[in-house]
Amino acid sequence: EATIILSHRGSPEAALNQTIELNAADASKLTFVAIQEWDDTSLHASNHRLALGKDTKLTHIVVTFGGDLVRICSDTDFRGTGGELTMLGLYFVDGGQHLEHRVFVDHSQPNCYSRVTYKGALQGEDAHSVWIGDCLIRETADGTDTYELNRNLVLTEGAKADSVPNLEIENGEIAGAGHASATGRFDDEQLFYLMSRGISEMDARRLVVRGFFAELINEIGVPEVIDHLMESVEAELAKNRN
């Protein structure tokens, strides 16, 4: 059992092209966290290759809060029955940034489980996010249970979120499969409720965004990372207070 945290930070105009391979052996439990907090002029391209053995539990977490252009592709390979995969992702896109996340879940073994949940917020002119979630259930993958979800919160005009969930099923003997995607602005009813209780519009918006991310951040289960990410969300929101 292990928890691995990989933190990326860099000075202006840093550039990184990398491949990360995770091989979780039979009956192991692994949590992997990759955090991208680059300077706004940095470039980062990464491919995460995930392999799960029999009865393995793997939690894969990607957090992207910086960089001019960041593209992270995560590919999975079930190598035994009974594997459990949880993939969590958070991103906060500022003006001019392009943050892209691509996920491919390849169910090739029987009785495996996967849940993919990515959430992002966008603010500023030409802020652009791309999320593509591909899930393939092969003929050999009886009893598969899978679901993928992407939600985007657009905070200002001029921001754009592209979300493409894909599900391909080659097997009729599965436990369940589904996907969902939603992109929208602030919930006016939530803002009205908070403001009617004396909270300013700016603070109401901040609380809504905190709640949007906190639900997912709390699932990470690493206290040091949870505290740091909530502070990072606050710092991102502060950039747009004026």
Side-chain angles (χ1 to χ4, degrees):
E1 180 175 346
T3 297
I4 300 171
I5 301 173
L6 182 61
S7 179
H8 297 95
R9 298 176 184 176
S11 56
E13 299 184 3
L16 175 64
N17 185 14
Q18 68 180 176
T19 296
I20 298 171
E21 295 190 5
L22 302 177
N23 187 355
D26 292 353
S28 63
K29 183 178 180 181
L30 175 63
T31 297
F32 176 80
V33 185
I35 302 175
Q36 288 64 238
E37 294 180 299
W38 296 105
D39 181 89
D40 289 346
T41 60
S42 300
L43 306 177
H44 183 192
S46 184
N47 185 15
H48 297 185
R49 298 175 181 173
L50 319 177
L52 291 80
K54 181 180 179 182
D55 297 325
T56 294
K57 293 184 178 181
L58 173 60
T59 300
H60 177 263
I61 302 165
V62 173
V63 180
T64 307
F65 283 165
D68 177 40
L69 187 154
V70 177
R71 176 179 290 127
I72 299 178
C73 302
S74 303
D75 302 323
T76 66
D77 180 13
F78 287 91
R79 296 181 177 176
T81 61
E84 294 187 16
L85 172 67
T86 301
M87 304 182 77
L88 307 177
L90 300 102
Y91 47 92
F92 205 121
V93 194
D94 288 320
Q97 290 182 326
H98 178 103
L99 305 185
E100 183 170 326
H101 301 85
R102 295 172 178 259
V103 175
F104 177 49
V105 180
D106 186 353
H107 278 281
S108 58
Q109 300 291 329
N111 303 316
C112 290
Y113 170 98
S114 68
R115 288 293 184 273
V116 178
T117 306
Y118 272 65
K119 287 186 174 184
L122 302 89
Q123 66 181 7
E125 188 70 24
D126 294 328
H128 187 201
S129 71
V130 176
W131 181 86
I132 298 178
D134 291 322
C135 180
L136 171 62
I137 304 175
R138 299 183 183 271
E139 292 184 39
T140 54
D142 291 358
T144 293
D145 187 351
T146 182
Y147 195 85
E148 59 181 16
L149 170 68
N150 178 228
R151 292 183 61 196
N152 296 290
L153 185 59
V154 179
L155 305 179
T156 64
E157 297 290 340
K160 179 182 179 182
D162 292 323
S163 180
V164 185
N166 298 303
L167 180 60
E168 184 176 354
I169 304 174
E170 299 176 347
N171 186 318
E173 301 296 328
I174 63 174
H179 59 194
S181 171
T183 299
R185 301 185 182 278
F186 279 106
D187 187 325
D188 291 336
E189 290 187 1
Q190 285 183 318
L191 290 179
F192 176 79
Y193 176 84
L194 293 169
M195 293 173 65
S196 68
R197 278 150 180 77
I199 299 174
S200 68
E201 181 178 357
M202 184 63 69
D203 286 340
R205 289 175 178 271
R206 180 176 58 83
L207 289 172
V208 170
V209 176
R210 279 179 58 91
F212 176 76
F213 279 121
E215 180 183 5
L216 194 57
I217 290 175
N218 288 332
E219 292 186 29
I220 293 175
V222 183
E224 296 84 354
V225 175
I226 292 173
D227 293 341
H228 174 71
L229 293 182
M230 291 309 299
E231 292 174 0
S232 298
V233 170
E234 289 285 357
E236 291 290 340
L237 288 170
K239 294 179 182 180
N240 200 49
R241 281 179 183 168
N242 296 325

